[in-house]
Amino acid sequence: MTKTTRFRRRSIFALIGLVGGCLTAAAAQAAEPDKAEIDALKQSLSKYEDYKAAIRDLYLSTVGCVYYSGEKVAGAMDYPKGAMGIHFVNVASVSPTPDPTRPNVLIYEPVDGGLRLVAVEWLVPLTPDTKEPPKLFGQTFQGPMEGHYPLIPVKFYHYDLHVWLFKDNPLGMFSPTNPDVKCDNYAFPMPEQPTKMVPGPM
């Protein structure tokens, strides 16, 4: 092998390594979409770590601590085994256009006789004018699906997006359930079945 050939091979390998490094960096950036926006949102919602502040702003508790067994049901949403927690819903804030600064739902985990804010959620109704699923923070909402009965009427067809702002989730920040959230020692655990999906733009 001549020196020229060896040089060319080294150059090719170096180029491959550089491209690979760029792709890895791009993938890392994609894993944390809109990080600055997420951080700003977390800061703006930190007052709701006191659930009484949520109630004053008309987020009303649904009382039950929702969790899923991980059962897969044909034609229904895929919820990995884990909990969502206790939902505090501001019904008046729900609209066809999600406000990225104001989630419709605050989600709390029962801890040591109190409530710890762990996540937030947006609900967007499915309407005849819906052309495509809504998006926030670079994420496409899940759905469309029926309402989560008995917390939400079945006929409330909607999309939703969970964001685990205040508790790490091994399934990812935007997973609907979190295996590290527990309802076991809470007075009102609420096991749920996977919510049925409905026709609409996917």
Side-chain angles (χ1 to χ4, degrees):
M1 183 184 298
T2 64
K3 288 185 179 180
T4 302
T5 302
R6 284 196 296 271
F7 177 77
R8 285 176 178 169
R9 284 194 174 183
R10 287 176 185 151
S11 299
I12 290 171
F13 289 142
L15 181 60
I16 290 172
L18 180 61
V19 171
C22 291
L23 291 174
T24 301
Q29 286 182 339
E32 293 187 5
D34 302 306
K35 187 177 186 304
E37 191 174 6
I38 291 287
D39 288 345
L41 176 64
K42 181 176 179 179
Q43 180 64 35
S44 72
L45 298 176
S46 61
K47 68 176 181 177
Y48 294 128
E49 292 183 78
D50 178 358
Y51 74 90
K52 294 186 289 296
I55 293 172
R56 285 194 292 269
D57 286 350
L58 301 181
Y59 285 92
L60 304 181
S61 173
T62 56
V63 181
C65 186
V66 174
Y67 66 93
Y68 291 87
S69 67
E71 175 188 8
K72 296 185 184 298
V73 177
M77 295 293 297
D78 182 9
Y79 293 135
K81 183 177 181 179
M84 289 183 182
I86 303 164
H87 295 63
F88 281 55
V89 184
N90 186 313
V91 176
S93 70
V94 176
S95 78
T97 304
D99 180 346
T101 67
R102 191 182 186 194
N104 314 116
V105 184
L106 305 172
I107 301 176
Y108 293 82
E109 179 183 17
V111 178
D112 298 329
L115 296 176
R116 177 184 298 163
L117 180 63
V118 290
V120 297
E121 180 182 0
W122 280 262
L123 303 171
V124 174
L126 176 65
T127 72
D129 297 326
T130 302
K131 305 300 182 188
E132 60 183 6
K135 293 183 179 181
L136 278 181
F137 315 116
Q139 304 296 309
T140 301
F141 280 50
Q142 292 190 310
M145 69 192 85
E146 292 182 346
H148 304 278
Y149 183 81
L151 302 181
I152 300 175
V154 171
K155 294 301 182 182
F156 178 66
Y157 298 163
H158 70 285
Y159 297 88
D160 64 32
L161 180 70
H162 295 77
V163 186
W164 295 89
L165 287 175
F166 297 93
K167 186 180 180 82
D168 289 341
N169 187 343
L171 299 178
M173 176 177 280
F174 300 100
S175 171
T177 56
N178 188 331
D180 290 343
V181 171
K182 306 300 179 186
C183 299
D184 302 344
N185 297 319
Y186 179 62
F188 305 103
M190 183 175 286
E192 287 276 289
Q193 293 296 312
T195 311
K196 291 182 180 178
M197 300 189 72
V198 299
M202 305 297 282

